[in-house]
Amino acid sequence: MQFKDIIGQETLKKRLVNSVKENRISHAQMFLGRGSVGKLALAYAYAQYINCTDKQNGDSCGQCSSCRKYAAMSHPDLFFSYPVNTNYTSSSKATETRVKKDPVSADFLADWKNYIDEIKGYPDLFQWYQRIGIENKQGFISKEEARKIVHQLQYKSVEAKYKVLIVWMIEKMNEVASNALLKLIEEPPDNTLIFLIAEEKEKLLSTILSRVQIIVVPSIETAKLQSYLIQQNPKLSEIELRDIANLASGDVFKANEIISNSSEMMENYELFVEWMRLCYKKGSLEGIKIWVEKTSKFGREKQKSFLDFSLRMVRESLLLNYGNDQLVKIMGHEEQFLNKFAPFIHMGNAQAIQEILNQAIYEIERNVSGISLFADLSLKMSRLLKVVPPGR
Ligand SMILES: [Zn+2]
């Protein structure tokens, strides 16, 4: 991974490059930030840059032996650690990685390499769990793993100047393992760099936090994310991608999710517009009945997705209404509708509407049947939409 492959984050890249130029690379650093903003990519590119034997201005060369091994994740002095779990089931195929007990990162190295390659260095925890078939469990970094790491790093580096350990999602390390890591940070073997990646500061041991240099990785700048999305999705319109970049709040994983869900979003949008018109119009009982029948036939996931979307529309309307339109994150086609719809959402009904939508989501999660749920919800919604705004 090279710095040039990283979306935005120019300030941080400069800072990391300077630390190498000025020969003040801290041996334990933590890349901290929410979501897919490039924490792992930065740590990875930084490590590659440090060990590159032919550094170009501000980036690794991508050509030298070290860079090539880094790119293939096959460098003998580069170690990764990430949350895993057992994933053996009786129906496992022989071709898949299947681990029955004491799972450690090394068991899943091939999956990890493929995954990081495929998502270009911007992993997402739940997607990783899905990839190795542990989405119904929690991944963790075990004490066996920590022991293994400590052991591996005691050896002299094979060919690079620095051995590098990158731990992704350090919050998934249990306490015993964290203490082993802490010892490693306190008494590091020679020429060893430890880069920790974390999302939630609150979940980390204060002893670790106090011993690492913390690099806060902010959201990706919207304009940078937009140009990246345009380059990756030549078939989509630039305006649409601008909206998606805006909606994703600087998180590349989210942006890609929105792109893949945009057809679902379009359906939700059309369904919502239809629903709101029916609920507001007088004498549309027959129309509501047809709408309810249609919607109750959808699967649970689709119904939930629709109600989540409805909640978002209500929230955005409220923001729009009360003059916080710079906070509104909507797609182009939604804007026109929301401008007309927003006045119907106000302090006199917004809370109740959100409550009935949340209640419906809760019931769907508990398998409550569709027709009565959506019929009841529509009646309540009709009533609430007709509430007169306070002060009018
Ligand atoms: Zn190089």
Side-chain angles (χ1 to χ4, degrees):
M1 186 118 214
Q2 290 178 269
F3 284 127
K4 72 172 172 57
D5 303 322
I6 290 169
I7 314 161
Q9 308 291 13
E10 300 306 328
T11 316
L12 275 185
K13 287 183 206 169
K14 241 177 243 152
R15 178 174 152 195
L16 295 172
V17 167
N18 283 339
S19 76
V20 180
K21 283 186 182 156
E22 292 159 12
N23 207 8
R24 42 168 191 84
I25 308 167
S26 164
H27 80 278
Q29 309 193 28
M30 177 182 289
F31 294 76
L32 183 67
R34 294 255 175 196
S36 272
V37 293
K39 303 181 292 286
L40 180 86
L42 280 162
Y44 192 177
Y46 184 35
Q48 176 165 331
Y49 178 69
I50 291 169
N51 281 311
C52 172
T53 53
D54 187 19
K55 296 180 182 56
Q56 316 281 315
N57 60 70
D59 210 340
S60 51
C61 72
Q63 302 293 324
C64 70
S65 154
S66 171
C67 278
R68 274 186 280 122
K69 286 178 185 169
Y70 253 81
M73 275 197 200
S74 62
H75 200 295
D77 301 313
L78 172 66
F79 306 93
F80 281 99
S81 193
Y82 32 82
V84 293
N85 205 327
T86 53
N87 65 351
Y88 180 85
T89 58
S90 49
S91 59
S92 295
K93 288 183 224 122
T95 48
E96 295 166 326
T97 312
R98 289 296 150 182
V99 181
K100 248 181 176 167
K101 60 181 267 232
D102 300 336
V104 289
S105 297
D107 296 330
F108 295 93
L109 186 60
D111 302 271
W112 175 252
K113 281 183 184 175
N114 287 338
Y115 178 57
I116 294 303
D117 201 41
E118 190 186 308
I119 44 93
K120 303 184 174 74
Y122 288 79
D124 168 77
L125 192 61
F126 188 68
Q127 193 182 44
W128 165 241
Y129 288 173
Q130 283 177 318
R131 202 50 67 93
I132 57 173
I134 63 164
E135 64 269 31
N136 296 323
K137 304 177 180 180
Q138 280 284 320
F140 61 91
I141 301 175
S142 67
K143 61 176 195 290
E144 287 78 21
E145 168 111 27
R147 225 175 269 144
K148 238 179 135 173
I149 294 170
V150 172
H151 179 74
Q152 272 171 333
L153 292 177
Q154 297 307 323
Y155 293 102
K156 262 205 157 114
S157 65
V158 181
E159 44 193 70
K161 183 172 178 202
Y162 289 101
K163 288 168 282 180
V164 178
L165 165 69
I166 299 179
V167 185
W168 181 56
M169 299 305 290
I170 183 79
E171 48 268 78
K172 296 293 169 193
M173 198 174 239
N174 70 28
E175 206 174 326
V176 182
S178 295
N179 285 323
L181 182 78
L182 189 63
K183 256 194 101 188
L184 191 73
I185 294 173
E186 283 173 335
E187 298 158 26
D190 287 342
N191 296 328
T192 301
L193 301 175
I194 301 163
F195 296 158
L196 310 176
I197 318 288
E199 300 232 320
E200 296 168 274
K201 203 175 174 184
E202 312 78 54
K203 289 193 180 160
L204 302 169
L205 292 181
S206 56
T207 39
I208 290 206
L209 283 170
S210 65
R211 281 167 182 80
V212 295
Q213 185 187 336
I214 294 176
I215 297 166
V216 174
V217 184
S219 304
I220 302 165
E221 307 87 318
T222 307
K224 293 279 162 104
L225 184 56
Q226 184 196 352
S227 354
Y228 173 80
L229 294 177
I230 290 172
Q231 184 200 327
Q232 295 293 313
N233 303 279
K235 283 185 186 158
L236 297 181
S237 85
E238 292 196 8
I239 293 170
E240 196 178 349
L241 290 170
R242 182 201 61 200
D243 292 340
I244 291 172
N246 197 23
L247 211 57
S249 315
D251 181 319
V252 68
F253 177 78
K254 247 191 227 164
N256 286 328
E257 282 265 293
I258 296 171
I259 291 171
S260 61
N261 291 340
S262 65
S263 65
E264 185 182 325
M265 253 174 48
M266 204 58 215
E267 275 176 53
N268 280 337
Y269 167 74
E270 279 160 10
L271 195 64
F272 183 75
V273 172
E274 187 192 356
W275 191 36
M276 289 302 105
R277 287 199 176 125
L278 288 167
C279 284
Y280 189 71
K281 222 166 70 187
K282 276 193 188 115
S284 54
L285 222 57
E286 194 52 34
I288 290 185
K289 218 178 127 196
I290 295 167
W291 184 93
V292 166
E293 267 166 29
K294 173 172 73 179
T295 309
S296 63
K297 282 188 192 127
F298 295 154
R300 269 184 355 156
E301 283 312 307
K302 198 168 166 181
Q303 290 177 345
K304 261 185 65 188
S305 150
F306 169 67
L307 293 171
D308 280 331
F309 178 87
S310 306
L311 266 175
R312 186 167 74 78
M313 289 294 104
V314 171
R315 274 194 303 264
E316 303 294 2
S317 298
L318 206 58
L319 287 172
L320 211 70
N321 250 339
Y322 289 89
N324 291 319
D325 33 341
Q326 72 276 20
L327 293 176
V328 176
K329 292 180 171 171
I330 46 176
M331 309 280 284
H333 61 267
E334 292 168 1
E335 198 174 339
Q336 250 187 332
F337 167 76
L338 272 186
N339 278 328
K340 281 191 240 151
F341 173 68
F344 296 100
I345 303 295
H346 45 76
M347 292 306 187
N349 63 8
Q351 199 187 346
I353 291 178
Q354 294 185 46
E355 271 165 22
I356 60 168
L357 289 170
N358 276 318
Q359 178 64 25
I361 293 172
Y362 177 86
E363 286 171 8
I364 287 172
E365 281 168 352
R366 274 148 200 82
N367 272 325
V368 174
S369 111
I371 284 206
S372 61
L373 184 139
F374 281 101
D376 183 47
L377 184 62
S378 301
L379 286 179
K380 286 179 181 156
M381 185 64 88
S382 288
R383 240 174 274 140
L384 287 167
L385 282 180
K386 286 160 197 154
V387 170
V388 181
R392 197 175 283 176

